[in-house]
Structures are given as C-alpha cells and as structure tokens.
Amino acid sequence: MSPETPWQGRRYYPISQYFHRRFGERVAKVSVSVAETCPNRSANSGMQPCVFCDEWGSAAYHLERDRGLQEQIRFNRQLVTRRLKAQRFLVYFQSYTNTLDKLEVLRRRFETALAEDDVAGLVVGTRPDCLPQRLFPLLDAMSRRRYLMLEIGAQSFFDDQLQFLRRGHSAQSSVAAVFALAQKTQADIGLHLIFGMPGDSPERLIETARIVNRLPVANVKLHNLHVLSNTPLAEMHRRGEFVPDELEPYADKVILFLRHLSPAIAVQRLAAVASRWDELIAPQWTGQKMQPIDFIEKRMARAGVVQGDLYDADSRPDRLF
Ligand code: SF4
C-alpha cells in the first residue's frame, strides 16, 4: 500500500518532483564538462586530489570535453530527451570546480548555455571554498534572470572526515558558503554529502541532518564512498586500510539520515552512480544503477518509515552554529 506522503507514494522527496512543482513540467539535467581543474589539482597549489577522485574529476571522458560547450549541450540533450522524455533542461556544469575561472569566462559560459532553446536554467558544481565575494553579483544576476542552482561539495560536516577525504576545506567553510550564497543571490543551493567513510556513526548522521535542516538548502545529493582505480583510495583499499560499505549498512545510514531530514528538502540522489564502470573497484553494488535506490526504498517501506518522520523543527545541531 502507498504510504501517506506528499510524494506520490515515494518514501522520500525526489528532486524530480521538486522540479516538476517548480517548473510545472519535467526538466532534466544535461551535464557538460568545461572546467578543467580544481584547487586540489591546480599546479603549485601544494594540495593533493581528494582520495576518491580519479583524474577526470567527475568529468566526461576527453572525447566529451573536446567538444565545445554548445555542442556538448546539443549532443547530451538528445540523449537525455530520449531517456527521460523531458522537453526542458538544466545545463549542469559538473566537472571539477566551476567557479574558478575569470568572471568574464564564467559569464560567457553561462550566457552560451542560456542561449540554447529549452534551457530552463543552470546548475553549477563547486566547492565551498571557491565562492569568493566577487562572484556574487554575477551569480545573483543569473539567478534573477533564470533558475540557478549551486551544488556545493560539502561531503561531511566533520573535519576529521574532510581530512580523511583530503578535501582541503573545513565544515565551517561549507556553512559559511551556504549562508553567503543565500544572502547574496536568489540561487537554489544543493549539498553533496558522502556516507560510508571512517568516523560515520548514528549520532553523526543525525547531527548531519540537523545541520542541513538549519541551512537554507533546497536539496541534498548522497553518495556512498566508493573506490575507483587510479585514486589514492584505491591504494588504501589495496592495503586493507579502507573497506567500502556494503549496500545494507549504507542503506541504513541513508535511512537514518532521511528520517531526521526535513521533508521540505528534496533529495537528488540516494547513492553514487559511478559514470565510468570500467574504473569501479568496490563495492560492486555501486555499478548496479537503480538497484540500490530500489533496495533503500523497499527497506524504508518494510520498516514503515519515510523522510522526515523523526524530523524535529526545534532540534538544533550541537555544532557549527
Ligand atoms: S573531487 Fe573535486 S575538488 Fe576533489 S580533487 Fe576531484 S575535482 Fe578536485
């Protein structure tokens, strides 16, 4: 039997329904790869890549990146139209860090994307420490003109976990970035979070939900930490220093987090989708696309729980505020 939820029988608030409410029709993200680096990978930065990141930095293969922005949008839009039956699109600047280039370069990219037919808005992936003040007037102008979402790679609100990931930014910087964006632009804000690393605990998952609930964010995107070849994590995995979560414990983490998450916050993703299957080392379930999502939703159904059923609007996180 369908649960009593506002999400058409779903156990959590899927981003597709958020977009449908916002745009009045189905919209789909069209990924493009234009940024070529990030602070951790920049020459002379003295930093190291994140432990989980392969050389592509979430980008498409070079074949894709060698196409111009306009060509990428048109090519990928065709694929998405066939698969998702959407007629309007959000151009998703996904690879590496998409707020690092000069303002004029960023402006040109955004204008190029918005000039395409059927583009309802932009989604820009970045890091919390790559949102300088000088960027806000551009982001504000774009957000007033068309839909704009900033996806921020917060990953964790615990500094020991951020250090394990070698992110090179703090939890506090994620909180500060979200508030600054919310104050100075009209952009929607999405947060990327990773579960399944050393230091996870039920208390921390609940605290993470409480922190997110206090932030002006529209959605979260959840990833399980998984091992790709040619990454520092692959070496740690080979030495037995890191073992990724199997699906069942990962699902229980997601479910606990969702139960404490506000029902008003949409969920973009419940688990990672490795875009390059040939590089996936572990866990194998990450390669099964829809199966993990189905598993988590069925587990929620069996337990009779939904997103937000333990949400307490008055509960305050112990830290970061
Ligand atoms: S995950 Fe992002 S910030 Fe980290 S090394 Fe990869 S591209 Fe850079």
Side-chain angles (χ1 to χ4, degrees), residues 39-292:
N40 292 13
R41 291 183 174 277
S42 294
N44 306 322
S45 70
M47 295 168 75
Q48 298 173 296
C50 301
V51 286
F52 55 86
C53 184
D54 66 2
E55 62 174 309
W56 309 96
S58 304
Y61 287 110
H62 276 305
L63 179 64
E64 176 89 345
R65 249 187 330 193
D66 290 345
R67 293 192 175 109
L69 174 56
Q70 201 177 48
E71 203 185 336
Q72 286 188 46
I73 295 171
R74 290 177 184 175
F75 183 80
N76 291 338
R77 183 168 56 192
Q78 276 179 2
L79 302 181
V80 167
T81 307
R82 273 204 295 272
R83 198 161 44 87
L84 298 177
K85 313 266 181 294
Q87 298 302 321
R88 293 181 77 203
F89 307 92
L90 300 172
V91 175
Y92 179 24
F93 292 87
Q94 181 177 14
S95 60
Y96 301 104
T97 302
N98 288 280
T99 53
L100 272 187
D101 290 278
K102 291 193 175 119
L103 268 183
E104 216 24 63
V105 173
L106 297 179
R107 186 191 309 279
R108 265 203 308 278
R109 278 183 195 153
F110 297 160
E111 295 287 357
T112 301
L114 290 179
E116 284 297 299
D117 285 347
D118 309 324
V119 169
L122 309 175
V123 181
V124 178
T126 188
R127 295 165 45 105
D129 55 347
C130 292
L131 288 163
Q133 292 282 334
R134 63 182 171 75
L135 206 58
F136 288 123
L138 173 64
L139 296 179
D140 186 40
M142 289 292 157
S143 65
R144 287 172 190 279
R145 199 167 125 198
R146 206 81 65 88
Y147 178 81
L148 175 68
M149 189 207 300
L150 269 291
E151 284 194 8
I152 300 179
Q155 316 305 7
S156 169
F157 286 109
F158 297 90
D159 284 338
D160 61 311
Q161 292 187 316
L162 292 172
Q163 280 153 19
F164 171 81
L165 295 174
R166 296 188 196 158
R167 288 292 293 171
H169 63 76
S170 65
Q172 187 65 57
S173 71
S174 297
V175 171
V178 169
F179 279 120
L181 263 180
Q183 280 160 10
K184 292 174 181 155
T185 78
Q186 306 282 310
D188 257 6
I189 302 169
L191 284 183
H192 290 206
L193 295 170
I194 295 178
F195 298 157
M197 66 187 123
D200 279 357
S201 67
E203 294 74 24
R204 282 188 166 194
L205 292 162
I206 295 169
E207 180 73 351
T208 300
R210 286 181 175 155
I211 291 170
V212 174
N213 292 339
R214 287 276 153 190
L215 294 173
V217 299
N219 65 74
V220 290
K221 196 184 223 178
L222 309 181
H223 297 84
N224 54 300
L225 187 59
H226 59 285
V227 185
L228 298 177
S229 56
N230 301 315
T231 61
L233 201 58
E235 280 305 300
M236 295 165 78
H237 181 256
R238 193 181 55 74
R239 293 195 298 265
E241 295 164 11
F242 172 73
V243 180
D245 277 349
E246 288 304 328
L247 179 52
E248 198 171 306
Y250 176 75
D252 287 341
K253 290 178 184 179
V254 169
I255 292 167
L256 182 61
F257 170 79
L258 288 179
R259 296 188 70 192
H260 287 269
L261 185 68
S262 161
I265 296 176
V267 181
Q268 286 214 51
R269 197 175 269 178
L270 293 180
V273 179
S275 53
R276 279 181 283 279
W277 311 114
D278 49 330
E279 291 182 5
L280 178 64
I281 294 177
Q284 286 310 308
W285 63 264
T286 296
Q288 292 168 354
K289 277 200 164 170
M290 295 308 292
Q291 196 252 343

